[in-house]
Amino acid sequence: MLEYSRKPVKEIDFNDVRIASFVSESDQNIDIDTVDSFGEEWTKFSSFSEVEIKNAGDQYFDIVTEEICNSSSVVLDMGCGTGRWSKYLANRVKFIEAIDPSKAVLSASHLTKDLNNVRVTQAGVDSIPFADESFDFAMGVGVYHHIPDTQKAVRDTVKKIKKGGYLLIYLYYSLDNRGAGYKFIFKMSTIIRKIVSSMPNRLKKITCDFIAFFVYMPFVMLARLFKMFFPKGGIWEKIPLSYYHDKSWNIIKNDALDRFGTPLEQRFSKKALVQILESCGMEDVVVSDGLPYWHAVGRKMK
Ligand SMILES: C[S@@+](CC[C@H](N)C(=O)[O-])C[C@H]1O[C@@H](n2cnc3c(N)ncnc32)[C@H](O)[C@@H]1O
């Protein structure tokens, strides 16, 4: 484990584990409502099964080769949420520092409790408590689009990566590779998100479960049927939400809450994602052609 670059603001005692917290009022690049919402969300979804983590992880990490991340890698899991990607990567790397500003750190601590090469810390991107150029590999999966200044957050993460190290990033896509039908559905869902995300937590959760069941599941079932009867030609992949055709109900509920319960959400085209990474000093950027869109990896050369 790395040494902290400064003293924690406080320590949280949780199930015999002490979690250092570096979150303070001086954190600027953070949307408090969004972080609180995630804290609520992730404390409800801390129990992903090994299979769920492996199936979803294989898609996000399809472009993370052995050269990028291996047994000598010291890793930063930025915005770790429940810690599922730390759990996914733990047996492949040397050590993982998993950080998140929300109370999701309690879930992450619980999920990773049996892994002696993962440490969970409460901190946001503005207060990453490690020296610059500490990490061989950093990942921010589904994080930066929930931060007010996405580009600055990426830059602040890149500072912590060693020269020659890598960053994996997943940003919500702006449907730049989709047709008008998708864009229309997205506009409608944005309106619904604005309403749902302002609801009290319990009502928000019930509403999102309702959306998962009555909106997500019909599309998912349709995609499953099309895949079964017309496996060739990829027609089923054109069905909205077909990404979830092989995902569990737990993951679908979780993602519905993630999509509709979060106040701050930004979207990026593939081009904008590459521009952000390059402007933050990343080179050799590879954007995966696979779902979920867009996830990419880049290398810090200077
Ligand atoms: C969609 S969740 C993704 C969690 C995890 N990476 C995953 O994919 O399972 C977004 C996470 O970003 C965290 N987050 C929000 N604002 C942040 C900030 N300013 N700095 C670091 N993390 C932040 C939230 O607390 C939340 O846990």
Side-chain angles (χ1 to χ4, degrees), residues 197-218:
S197 66
S198 62
M199 291 175 173
N201 283 328
R202 213 174 133 63
L203 182 60
K204 184 181 359 184
K205 166 87 177 67
I206 293 168
T207 309
C208 291
D209 284 356
F210 183 89
I211 292 173
F213 192 76
F214 289 105
V215 181
Y216 278 53
M217 283 313 284

mmCIF file of all heavy atoms in Angstrom, residues 197-218:
data_model
loop_
_atom_site.group_PDB
_atom_site.id
_atom_site.type_symbol
_atom_site.label_atom_id
_atom_site.label_comp_id
_atom_site.label_asym_id
_atom_site.label_seq_id
_atom_site.Cartn_x
_atom_site.Cartn_y
_atom_site.Cartn_z
ATOM 1 N N SER A 197 -34.602 12.096 -10.175
ATOM 2 C CA SER A 197 -33.415 12.335 -9.332
ATOM 3 C C SER A 197 -33.684 13.354 -8.227
ATOM 4 O O SER A 197 -32.922 13.439 -7.268
ATOM 5 C CB SER A 197 -32.223 12.778 -10.192
ATOM 6 O OG SER A 197 -32.484 14.025 -10.771
ATOM 7 N N SER A 198 -34.774 14.120 -8.379
ATOM 8 C CA SER A 198 -35.062 15.100 -7.317
ATOM 9 C C SER A 198 -36.006 14.527 -6.248
ATOM 10 O O SER A 198 -36.372 15.207 -5.308
ATOM 11 C CB SER A 198 -35.664 16.370 -7.930
ATOM 12 O OG SER A 198 -36.869 16.035 -8.561
ATOM 13 N N MET A 199 -36.402 13.256 -6.408
ATOM 14 C CA MET A 199 -37.326 12.655 -5.418
ATOM 15 C C MET A 199 -36.583 12.282 -4.139
ATOM 16 O O MET A 199 -35.370 12.052 -4.170
ATOM 17 C CB MET A 199 -37.918 11.360 -6.006
ATOM 18 C CG MET A 199 -38.873 11.578 -7.146
ATOM 19 S SD MET A 199 -39.370 9.966 -7.824
ATOM 20 C CE MET A 199 -40.632 10.503 -8.969
ATOM 21 N N PRO A 200 -37.325 12.141 -3.024
ATOM 22 C CA PRO A 200 -36.684 11.621 -1.817
ATOM 23 C C PRO A 200 -36.166 10.191 -2.078
ATOM 24 O O PRO A 200 -36.727 9.480 -2.929
ATOM 25 C CB PRO A 200 -37.807 11.595 -0.775
ATOM 26 C CG PRO A 200 -38.955 12.312 -1.387
ATOM 27 C CD PRO A 200 -38.744 12.443 -2.853
ATOM 28 N N ASN A 201 -35.124 9.787 -1.337
ATOM 29 C CA ASN A 201 -34.413 8.542 -1.646
ATOM 30 C C ASN A 201 -35.301 7.308 -1.803
ATOM 31 O O ASN A 201 -35.151 6.541 -2.743
ATOM 32 C CB ASN A 201 -33.345 8.264 -0.588
ATOM 33 C CG ASN A 201 -32.140 9.151 -0.837
ATOM 34 O OD1 ASN A 201 -31.842 9.480 -1.975
ATOM 35 N ND2 ASN A 201 -31.479 9.565 0.225
ATOM 36 N N ARG A 202 -36.227 7.128 -0.854
ATOM 37 C CA ARG A 202 -37.039 5.903 -0.885
ATOM 38 C C ARG A 202 -37.930 5.862 -2.117
ATOM 39 O O ARG A 202 -38.008 4.861 -2.833
ATOM 40 C CB ARG A 202 -37.881 5.834 0.397
ATOM 41 C CG ARG A 202 -38.097 4.436 0.858
ATOM 42 C CD ARG A 202 -38.803 4.353 2.199
ATOM 43 N NE ARG A 202 -39.882 3.376 2.150
ATOM 44 C CZ ARG A 202 -39.691 2.079 1.940
ATOM 45 N NH1 ARG A 202 -38.494 1.600 1.760
ATOM 46 N NH2 ARG A 202 -40.715 1.246 1.914
ATOM 47 N N LEU A 203 -38.550 7.014 -2.400
ATOM 48 C CA LEU A 203 -39.440 7.096 -3.569
ATOM 49 C C LEU A 203 -38.633 6.929 -4.856
ATOM 50 O O LEU A 203 -39.060 6.277 -5.821
ATOM 51 C CB LEU A 203 -40.161 8.455 -3.545
ATOM 52 C CG LEU A 203 -41.170 8.694 -4.656
ATOM 53 C CD1 LEU A 203 -42.283 7.646 -4.621
ATOM 54 C CD2 LEU A 203 -41.785 10.100 -4.541
ATOM 55 N N LYS A 204 -37.426 7.527 -4.838
ATOM 56 C CA LYS A 204 -36.546 7.421 -6.010
ATOM 57 C C LYS A 204 -36.218 5.946 -6.297
ATOM 58 O O LYS A 204 -36.283 5.484 -7.424
ATOM 59 C CB LYS A 204 -35.254 8.205 -5.714
ATOM 60 C CG LYS A 204 -34.337 8.235 -6.890
ATOM 61 C CD LYS A 204 -33.025 8.947 -6.753
ATOM 62 C CE LYS A 204 -32.585 9.631 -5.566
ATOM 63 N NZ LYS A 204 -31.335 10.330 -5.646
ATOM 64 N N LYS A 205 -35.902 5.226 -5.239
ATOM 65 C CA LYS A 205 -35.529 3.804 -5.376
ATOM 66 C C LYS A 205 -36.710 2.996 -5.921
ATOM 67 O O LYS A 205 -36.546 2.194 -6.849
ATOM 68 C CB LYS A 205 -35.079 3.313 -3.990
ATOM 69 C CG LYS A 205 -34.954 1.836 -3.811
ATOM 70 C CD LYS A 205 -33.575 1.360 -4.240
ATOM 71 C CE LYS A 205 -33.387 -0.126 -4.005
ATOM 72 N NZ LYS A 205 -34.197 -0.997 -4.806
ATOM 73 N N ILE A 206 -37.910 3.251 -5.362
ATOM 74 C CA ILE A 206 -39.094 2.502 -5.824
ATOM 75 C C ILE A 206 -39.363 2.830 -7.291
ATOM 76 O O ILE A 206 -39.624 1.952 -8.120
ATOM 77 C CB ILE A 206 -40.330 2.856 -4.937
ATOM 78 C CG1 ILE A 206 -40.105 2.332 -3.516
ATOM 79 C CG2 ILE A 206 -41.608 2.284 -5.530
ATOM 80 C CD1 ILE A 206 -41.102 2.855 -2.491
ATOM 81 N N THR A 207 -39.263 4.134 -7.637
ATOM 82 C CA THR A 207 -39.524 4.545 -9.020
ATOM 83 C C THR A 207 -38.523 3.902 -9.983
ATOM 84 O O THR A 207 -38.884 3.443 -11.072
ATOM 85 C CB THR A 207 -39.443 6.088 -9.134
ATOM 86 O OG1 THR A 207 -40.271 6.653 -8.132
ATOM 87 C CG2 THR A 207 -39.896 6.577 -10.497
ATOM 88 N N CYS A 208 -37.261 3.845 -9.560
ATOM 89 C CA CYS A 208 -36.224 3.269 -10.441
ATOM 90 C C CYS A 208 -36.419 1.763 -10.597
ATOM 91 O O CYS A 208 -36.206 1.216 -11.689
ATOM 92 C CB CYS A 208 -34.830 3.603 -9.930
ATOM 93 S SG CYS A 208 -34.455 5.344 -10.111
ATOM 94 N N ASP A 209 -36.855 1.085 -9.530
ATOM 95 C CA ASP A 209 -37.158 -0.355 -9.651
ATOM 96 C C ASP A 209 -38.313 -0.553 -10.633
ATOM 97 O O ASP A 209 -38.315 -1.483 -11.440
ATOM 98 C CB ASP A 209 -37.551 -0.940 -8.281
ATOM 99 C CG ASP A 209 -36.336 -1.140 -7.383
ATOM 100 O OD1 ASP A 209 -35.204 -0.891 -7.849
ATOM 101 O OD2 ASP A 209 -36.522 -1.541 -6.215
ATOM 102 N N PHE A 210 -39.296 0.348 -10.545
ATOM 103 C CA PHE A 210 -40.448 0.296 -11.444
ATOM 104 C C PHE A 210 -39.974 0.478 -12.903
ATOM 105 O O PHE A 210 -40.348 -0.274 -13.800
ATOM 106 C CB PHE A 210 -41.397 1.439 -11.030
ATOM 107 C CG PHE A 210 -42.678 1.494 -11.807
ATOM 108 C CD1 PHE A 210 -43.804 0.788 -11.377
ATOM 109 C CD2 PHE A 210 -42.771 2.253 -12.962
ATOM 110 C CE1 PHE A 210 -44.987 0.840 -12.099
ATOM 111 C CE2 PHE A 210 -43.952 2.315 -13.679
ATOM 112 C CZ PHE A 210 -45.062 1.609 -13.252
ATOM 113 N N ILE A 211 -39.082 1.460 -13.107
ATOM 114 C CA ILE A 211 -38.541 1.702 -14.460
ATOM 115 C C ILE A 211 -37.758 0.470 -14.935
ATOM 116 O O ILE A 211 -37.874 0.037 -16.088
ATOM 117 C CB ILE A 211 -37.639 2.961 -14.464
ATOM 118 C CG1 ILE A 211 -38.486 4.216 -14.229
ATOM 119 C CG2 ILE A 211 -36.865 3.088 -15.784
ATOM 120 C CD1 ILE A 211 -37.682 5.502 -14.046
ATOM 121 N N ALA A 212 -36.978 -0.108 -14.024
ATOM 122 C CA ALA A 212 -36.184 -1.297 -14.395
ATOM 123 C C ALA A 212 -37.106 -2.415 -14.870
ATOM 124 O O ALA A 212 -36.842 -3.075 -15.873
ATOM 125 C CB ALA A 212 -35.352 -1.763 -13.197
ATOM 126 N N PHE A 213 -38.211 -2.593 -14.157
ATOM 127 C CA PHE A 213 -39.103 -3.709 -14.482
ATOM 128 C C PHE A 213 -39.959 -3.430 -15.716
ATOM 129 O O PHE A 213 -40.078 -4.268 -16.608
ATOM 130 C CB PHE A 213 -39.993 -4.025 -13.267
ATOM 131 C CG PHE A 213 -40.730 -5.323 -13.425
ATOM 132 C CD1 PHE A 213 -40.062 -6.531 -13.248
ATOM 133 C CD2 PHE A 213 -42.064 -5.350 -13.788
ATOM 134 C CE1 PHE A 213 -40.726 -7.738 -13.429
ATOM 135 C CE2 PHE A 213 -42.735 -6.566 -13.967
ATOM 136 C CZ PHE A 213 -42.063 -7.752 -13.789
ATOM 137 N N PHE A 214 -40.533 -2.223 -15.764
ATOM 138 C CA PHE A 214 -41.508 -1.961 -16.829
ATOM 139 C C PHE A 214 -40.921 -1.300 -18.072
ATOM 140 O O PHE A 214 -41.568 -1.263 -19.109
ATOM 141 C CB PHE A 214 -42.676 -1.115 -16.283
ATOM 142 C CG PHE A 214 -43.550 -1.893 -15.351
ATOM 143 C CD1 PHE A 214 -43.488 -1.689 -13.977
ATOM 144 C CD2 PHE A 214 -44.422 -2.859 -15.833
ATOM 145 C CE1 PHE A 214 -44.279 -2.419 -13.107
ATOM 146 C CE2 PHE A 214 -45.226 -3.601 -14.968
ATOM 147 C CZ PHE A 214 -45.150 -3.378 -13.606
ATOM 148 N N VAL A 215 -39.723 -0.752 -17.982
ATOM 149 C CA VAL A 215 -39.111 -0.144 -19.177
ATOM 150 C C VAL A 215 -37.907 -0.969 -19.638
ATOM 151 O O VAL A 215 -37.848 -1.410 -20.791
ATOM 152 C CB VAL A 215 -38.683 1.320 -18.910
ATOM 153 C CG1 VAL A 215 -38.068 1.924 -20.164
ATOM 154 C CG2 VAL A 215 -39.869 2.154 -18.426
ATOM 155 N N TYR A 216 -36.974 -1.227 -18.731
ATOM 156 C CA TYR A 216 -35.772 -1.983 -19.133
ATOM 157 C C TYR A 216 -36.132 -3.415 -19.542
ATOM 158 O O TYR A 216 -35.728 -3.897 -20.603
ATOM 159 C CB TYR A 216 -34.744 -2.040 -17.989
ATOM 160 C CG TYR A 216 -33.864 -0.823 -17.836
ATOM 161 C CD1 TYR A 216 -34.400 0.456 -17.735
ATOM 162 C CD2 TYR A 216 -32.477 -0.933 -17.773
ATOM 163 C CE1 TYR A 216 -33.592 1.578 -17.574
ATOM 164 C CE2 TYR A 216 -31.656 0.184 -17.619
ATOM 165 C CZ TYR A 216 -32.226 1.423 -17.511
ATOM 166 O OH TYR A 216 -31.414 2.522 -17.353
ATOM 167 N N MET A 217 -36.879 -4.105 -18.653
ATOM 168 C CA MET A 217 -37.083 -5.543 -18.868
ATOM 169 C C MET A 217 -37.782 -5.878 -20.195
ATOM 170 O O MET A 217 -37.357 -6.827 -20.870
ATOM 171 C CB MET A 217 -37.836 -6.174 -17.673
ATOM 172 C CG MET A 217 -36.967 -6.403 -16.461
ATOM 173 S SD MET A 217 -35.374 -7.194 -16.798
ATOM 174 C CE MET A 217 -35.832 -8.879 -17.067
ATOM 175 N N PRO A 218 -38.824 -5.127 -20.626
ATOM 176 C CA PRO A 218 -39.417 -5.471 -21.932
ATOM 177 C C PRO A 218 -38.390 -5.407 -23.063
ATOM 178 O O PRO A 218 -38.343 -6.300 -23.916
ATOM 179 C CB PRO A 218 -40.504 -4.396 -22.115
ATOM 180 C CG PRO A 218 -40.873 -4.002 -20.726
ATOM 181 C CD PRO A 218 -39.612 -4.096 -19.926
#
